[in-house]
Amino acid sequence: MKKHTICRLCSSCCPVTAYIEKGRLISAHRNSDLPEERQLICPKLKAAPDIVYSPRRLSRPLLKDRDTGFREASWDEALDNLAERFLFFKNTFGAESVCWLRGMAADWGAPWDYVNRLMNTFGSPNSIGNGSVCHVGRELAHTVTYGAMTMPLTSGSRCIMIWGKNDTDTNPGAAENILNAREKGAVLIVIDPVKTLMAEKADIWLQIKPAHDGLLAMAMINEIISKNYYNASFIEKWTTGFEQLSKAAEPFSPEKIAGDIGLDPEMIREAARLYATTAPACIVDGNGLDMQLDTFDATRSVCMLRALTGNLDIKGGDFIPQPVRVRNIQLRDRIPGHVQPITRDYGIFNNFHETWGRHVQSCLIDAILDEKPYPVKMVVSQAGNPAVTMMDANRVKKAFEKLDFLVVIDMFMTRTAHMADIVLPASSCFEKTQLNRAFIRNSPVRIQDAVIEPLGDSWPDWRIIFELGRRLGLEAEFPWQTAENAINYQLEPAGITVEMLRDHPEGIRADETVFRKYRTSGFNTPSGKVEFYSGQLSSAGFSGTPYMNGYMPHPISFDDRKDSYPLVGISGARINRFTHTQFHQINSLARNNAGCVVDIHKSDANAYGIVRGDMVRLETPRGWIQMKAEVNETVPPGVIRIAWGWGDIDPECSLNRLTDDERRNPVTGTPSGRTFMCRISKIKDSSSTTDLHAPTISMEKK
Ligand SMILES: Nc1nc2c(c(=O)[nH]1)N[C@H]1C(S)=C(S)[C@@H](COP(=O)(O)OP(=O)(O)OC[C@H]3O[C@@H](n4cnc5c(=O)[nH]c(N)nc54)[C@H](O)[C@@H]3O)O[C@H]1N2
Ligand SMILES: Nc1nc2c(c(=O)[nH]1)N[C@H]1C(S)=C(S)[C@@H](COP(=O)(O)OP(=O)(O)OC[C@H]3O[C@@H](n4cnc5c(=O)[nH]c(N)nc54)[C@H](O)[C@@H]3O)O[C@H]1N2
Ligand code: SF4
Ligand SMILES: [Mo]
């Protein structure tokens, strides 16, 4: 039997067709219009049955007894215990001492609404997402500039500028569209310190010095303005602050900054010219811009390029999405006015969106360890592995050890779950029905539909949240017994039901696509125009136009200590077999731990006497890890790329033991998980290294 759903094994949310036999998932295929031989393969999806039926899946709630360790428990016992703890901490320290922390897999916008509703009605403003390191900071930069985060319409584009995004490995459907447009003759510009597949295919590849994108964007703005490549009529009618932007860009001529960012000024000029004079053009921005200390102004200056050239909301340009009219069910107004979230220092980021909520996850660690602005005593970690994925992992570990109570909701026994007092087994994405954020953000809306029953005694996240809500006395707020009831309630304003969505697996269009919507409704900013200068930011004490007061000093962590830490370390590729710390224990994907390496340029390898396969030690002021070396020309000299995501199976390969969480972007609270100064030394010859050490904990179930 064939069933349609959306894959959530990573955040790309691909529509897929699942094949089911006797209630078992046999295989799943990504929907694509291309003939099979031209489709990019997603190994994770291919391995979906191995993941879903892994013997390592958690299937019963686990409670930790101080002396004897974990024991299995019934859902009733686990949830009663959990509700009791919620109420205990509320009565003893205030509801805000309880924090809910979401990870990548918790989905935004839809099931995440349930958590926000639960926490808001319980009385804690602290449901915290990880958007400060993922794309939500970027979404803020887009939103303050032109009211919403745009979507690049690569299919109809004549010029595609890929800026810190590697769709080939992270979003195969999007990569196929780019490759197709390229074949049809679109100009391709890639800005990436790493030689990606797209970089190899590009007309211009700007191998930028990591973390210096803001300088490059300002140099391009400088070039576009000084050569009059900009779209004067669009600017005159639909933007404010062009004067301020022109002034801010003056000091950033390509000649002046090229040396600082490792590029040739002529290439910067040519990239600016091509982008600004080939229409329509779009910019595919990605996580290479996020997770950087200077993320906000860097991303914002990239946004300005879209507006300067008038490429906003046109076919083949950067589309302003048409969100599906869903009901806002978060009940934010239930939080008493005097209760501030732990992220209170990031007011603009907290409040820029009706439903996004709060995302500066680092504030949680401050609240636990430093008790600032007040102590957090209990954390529920849902669909994330923060012990490994948050910056400065040693500090995160200390914080979780200090907590009075930790609850983890996951499918697997992760490093974070090992530290928990209660572990609740979650159903996988193929076992639950939910509204998917990618498909309410823009029409058409699609349903992520359960294709098999929950495995073992696992529960879908929505059911855990609803049942917990009822145990907290919130029956009126959580009246729903099924996911369908809750989704229908949320979808009511759009006039769409789950039944209708099941009848239309291709999605239901709530509105016809309209381009240049600003002509009738303006932009969703305070002035109704694109804001090259933001009064809102300026009043809050930030630069009204990017870099109006100069460039951020030391945008790379530990840059002030480069005498002892001379190499730029960057966070490694998101290999298409894994999602962050997930699936390294699935044999068909682990492939003998291939990819757990540090890439070093051959000239640096020579200088350090390192050959391929040597075991090397990497250090920063925060900690050390070790890995095997891979010698190549993927990264430029002076830069090393350190494999990402291996910390769950081996802490000695945990990249975030190296990263810093002390310095953060002032607007989005983003620490640099991506770029930091470090040092390397050889510890073992290639002749004596075997594969990555075996996982140091065995998580096989009895
Ligand atoms: N240095 C460095 N740090 C980074 C990054 C980096 O590239 N470098 N990337 C950053 C980014 S962009 C992100 S988004 C974060 C990701 O950070 P996390 O979200 O912590 O990362 P994952 O390892 O994907 O953890 C997801 C967990 O959810 C579980 N899970 C999967 N599906 C479900 C489900 O349906 N329900 C529940 N309850 N659990 C489920 C998985 O088993 C897994 O343990 O890491 C960030 N940290
Ligand atoms: N296979 C797989 N797919 C995933 C995930 C996964 O873990 N594995 N995670 C999902 C999640 S949560 C996210 S957020 C997305 C992210 O997906 P992407 O946005 O594609 O993010 P990355 O692949 O981390 O990085 C993108 C590119 O930025 C480059 N880069 C690094 N530093 C810099 C810099 O300083 N400047 C510039 N211009 N570029 C730089 C990197 O070399 C890389 O090629 O992927 C999602 N999809
Ligand atoms: S890229 Fe692969 S794992 Fe990610 S959603 Fe798409 S099919 Fe699933
Ligand atoms: Mo992410």
Side-chain angles (χ1 to χ4, degrees):
M1 187 179 42
K2 235 166 63 167
K3 279 190 168 179
H4 297 278
T5 188
I6 293 163
C7 174
R8 275 284 313 175
L9 295 177
C10 85
S11 54
S12 293
C13 303
C14 303
V16 299
T17 307
Y19 293 85
I20 315 295
E21 269 175 36
K22 297 194 180 122
R24 242 184 116 80
L25 174 70
I26 302 301
S27 65
H29 301 274
R30 194 165 52 79
N31 301 348
S32 166
D33 297 333
L34 294 177
E36 209 159 318
E37 65 281 6
R38 295 191 55 204
Q39 292 177 19
L40 294 175
I41 299 298
C42 173
K44 299 186 286 299
L45 184 65
K46 219 169 153 196
D50 301 343
I51 296 167
V52 168
Y53 300 110
S54 162
R56 293 177 190 275
R57 277 284 298 272
L58 292 167
S59 67
R60 299 274 295 161
L62 300 172
L63 302 190
K64 196 184 264 166
D65 287 327
R66 289 260 172 239
D67 306 321
T68 49
F70 284 117
R71 67 173 171 85
E72 292 190 347
S74 67
W75 276 100
D76 268 339
E77 185 186 1
L79 288 175
D80 282 344
N81 195 318
L82 178 52
E84 203 180 289
R85 292 296 166 154
F86 261 79
L87 296 172
F88 168 79
F89 288 108
K90 179 175 180 165
N91 295 333
T92 318
F93 302 100
E96 65 276 18
S97 68
V98 181
C99 172
W100 194 296
L101 181 67
R102 76 170 286 286
M104 186 284 304
D107 214 341
W108 275 289
W112 185 235
D113 290 334
Y114 305 149
V115 171
N116 284 320
R117 185 177 176 93
L118 178 86
M119 294 301 280
N120 288 341
T121 49
F122 170 71
S124 171
N126 295 320
S127 39
I128 309 289
N130 65 0
S132 54
V133 294
C134 192
H135 75 279
V136 189
R138 186 160 22 107
E139 174 127 8
L140 171 65
H142 282 248
T143 305
V144 296
T145 313
Y146 34 66
M149 180 151 162
T150 50
M151 306 165 74
L153 299 182
T154 52
S155 291
S157 191
R158 301 298 307 151
C159 175
I160 301 171
M161 185 144 77
I162 302 178
W163 205 315
K165 186 120 187 42
N166 182 26
D167 282 324
T168 318
D169 291 323
T170 58
N171 190 338
E176 282 169 2
N177 288 341
I178 296 173
L179 292 170
N180 245 348
R182 176 80 182 127
E183 266 178 35
K184 289 188 193 143
V187 172
L188 188 60
I189 302 168
V190 172
I191 299 155
D192 201 307
V194 173
K195 194 194 279 182
T196 59
L197 175 90
M198 294 293 178
E200 285 181 292
K201 289 189 179 292
D203 295 284
I204 299 185
W205 169 32
L206 298 175
Q207 193 177 21
I208 188 170
K209 176 174 179 184
H212 287 73
D213 299 274
L215 278 177
L216 175 61
M218 291 307 281
M220 291 175 81
I221 291 172
N222 173 299
E223 178 71 5
I224 289 170
I225 294 177
S226 61
K227 295 277 167 60
N228 289 334
Y229 293 150
Y230 56 86
N231 185 329
S233 61
F234 178 84
I235 288 173
E236 193 189 335
K237 219 162 164 188
W238 297 111
T239 70
T240 64
F242 182 63
E243 290 302 309
Q244 283 101 324
L245 181 65
S246 308
K247 193 149 184 288
E250 259 169 36
F252 297 92
S253 71
E255 285 73 33
K256 239 192 225 151
I257 61 107
D260 292 341
I261 59 175
L263 297 174
D264 167 6
E266 264 323 299
M267 273 174 80
I268 300 176
R269 281 217 187 83
E270 182 58 6
R273 187 190 66 79
L274 269 176
Y275 168 70
T277 59
T278 317
C282 65
I283 304 179
V284 182
D285 55 6
N287 203 252
L289 288 166
D290 309 330
M291 227 175 9
Q292 305 270 19
L293 286 172
D294 190 30
T295 182
F296 184 68
D297 269 357
T299 311
R300 195 152 65 110
S301 41
V302 172
C303 292
M304 302 206 160
L305 288 166
R306 299 185 174 97
L308 274 177
T309 52
N311 276 303
L312 284 174
D313 219 19
I314 58 172
K315 254 188 205 162
D318 291 297
F319 184 62
I320 306 256
Q322 296 174 233
V324 178
R325 282 180 304 281
V326 293
R327 181 174 270 139
N328 181 348
I329 60 167
Q330 295 194 353
L331 301 177
R332 265 202 209 183
D333 53 353
R334 295 285 191 89
I335 298 289
H338 66 277
V339 182
Q340 293 289 313
I342 52 174
T343 56
R344 68 177 183 188
D345 292 344
Y346 300 93
I348 289 184
F349 195 23
N350 284 338
N351 297 313
F352 82 101
H353 191 280
E354 262 185 14
T355 55
W356 248 182
R358 303 170 186 98
H359 282 275
V360 186
Q361 56 173 2
S362 298
C363 292
L364 172 62
I365 306 304
D366 304 344
I368 300 169
L369 286 178
D370 310 333
E371 311 200 339
K372 282 186 185 141
Y374 48 77
V376 162
K377 298 287 187 183
M378 169 173 171
V379 170
V380 181
S381 166
Q382 180 204 1
N385 191 3
V388 186
T389 56
M390 286 179 72
M391 272 95 261
D392 195 355
N394 288 324
R395 184 166 178 263
V396 174
K397 186 160 175 264
K398 254 191 237 152
F400 283 5
E401 281 166 356
K402 186 183 170 195
L403 269 181
D404 287 12
F405 208 74
L406 176 65
V407 182
V408 167
I409 309 175
D410 205 297
M411 292 150 58
F412 293 97
M413 198 68 188
T414 60
R415 292 271 159 192
T416 311
H418 271 278
M419 301 178 81
D421 298 283
I422 299 184
V423 181
L424 300 177
S427 306
S428 80
C429 58
F430 296 105
E431 298 151 45
K432 61 186 177 191
T433 296
Q434 57 185 34
L435 262 187
N436 182 289
R437 78 173 155 99
F439 296 98
I440 50 176
R441 172 169 183 236
N442 187 47
S443 210
V445 55
R446 282 180 196 249
I447 191 88
Q448 178 185 325
D449 210 1
V451 298
I452 52 171
E453 292 293 316
L455 250 76
D457 200 9
S458 71
W459 280 17
D461 296 71
W462 63 262
R463 185 171 172 202
I464 300 173
I465 296 159
F466 293 2
E467 287 292 337
L468 174 61
R470 291 194 273 264
R471 278 174 166 79
L472 291 173
L474 304 169
E475 293 88 352
E477 288 79 5
F478 291 94
W480 310 296
Q481 297 298 329
T482 62
E484 287 79 356
N485 284 346
I487 297 170
N488 283 340
Y489 175 72
Q490 208 171 353
L491 275 178
E492 206 173 59
I496 295 171
T497 62
V498 174
E499 211 177 18
M500 289 160 73
L501 290 170
R502 285 187 174 139
D503 287 343
H504 293 277
E506 75 288 359
I508 296 178
R509 203 163 266 291
D511 300 292
E512 277 316 303
T513 301
V514 181
F515 293 102
R516 292 195 164 101
K517 296 178 278 294
Y518 53 84
R519 285 183 171 166
T520 48
S521 46
F523 289 92
N524 189 19
T525 58
S527 62
K529 296 185 170 186
V530 174
E531 300 202 342
F532 290 131
Y533 174 88
S534 160
Q536 180 200 8
L537 282 169
S538 181
S539 332
F542 303 113
S543 190
T545 289
Y547 310 113
M548 212 159 75
N549 308 318
Y551 195 73
M552 175 187 249
H554 306 301
I556 301 181
S557 306
F558 316 126
D559 203 14
D560 47 349
R561 300 183 61 178
K562 35 177 182 256
D563 287 350
S564 316
Y565 301 96
L567 290 171
V568 177
I570 63 173
S571 182
R574 289 161 204 256
I575 300 176
N576 62 5
R577 288 151 35 221
F578 307 115
T579 300
H580 306 294
T581 69
Q582 299 182 64
F583 316 137
H584 297 79
Q585 307 224 36
I586 304 294
N587 286 338
S588 56
L589 294 171
R591 297 192 201 151
N592 244 345
N593 302 321
C596 183
V597 293
V598 46
D599 296 291
I600 180 165
H601 191 271
K602 58 186 188 186
S603 60
D604 291 326
N606 272 342
Y608 284 94
I610 290 168
V611 299
R612 179 170 191 266
D614 283 351
M615 185 65 81
V616 293
R617 181 180 166 101
L618 306 162
E619 283 172 88
T620 71
R622 296 289 169 268
W624 61 270
I625 61 171
Q626 54 187 38
M627 270 179 199
K628 288 200 290 187
E630 182 71 71
V631 179
N632 52 35
E633 293 182 54
T634 301
V635 285
V639 176
I640 58 174
R641 183 176 68 160
I642 305 162
W644 162 236
W646 298 83
D648 198 65
I649 59 161
D650 189 343
E652 292 192 352
C653 298
S654 190
L655 172 64
N656 276 327
R657 294 205 328 200
L658 302 177
T659 52
D660 177 53
D661 193 15
E662 208 172 293
R663 286 183 66 213
R664 297 172 196 163
N665 183 280
V667 182
T668 59
T670 308
S672 179
R674 203 171 262 292
T675 325
F676 44 88
M677 301 309 292
C678 63
R679 65 177 170 231
I680 191 168
S681 54
K682 173 160 147 175
I683 49 177
K684 253 193 232 158
D685 268 345
S686 58
S687 54
S688 60
T689 58
T690 50
D691 277 317
L692 172 84
H693 353 280
T696 50
I697 47 172
S698 167
M699 294 185 278
E700 211 69 71
K701 291 227 302 307
K702 296 159 255 163

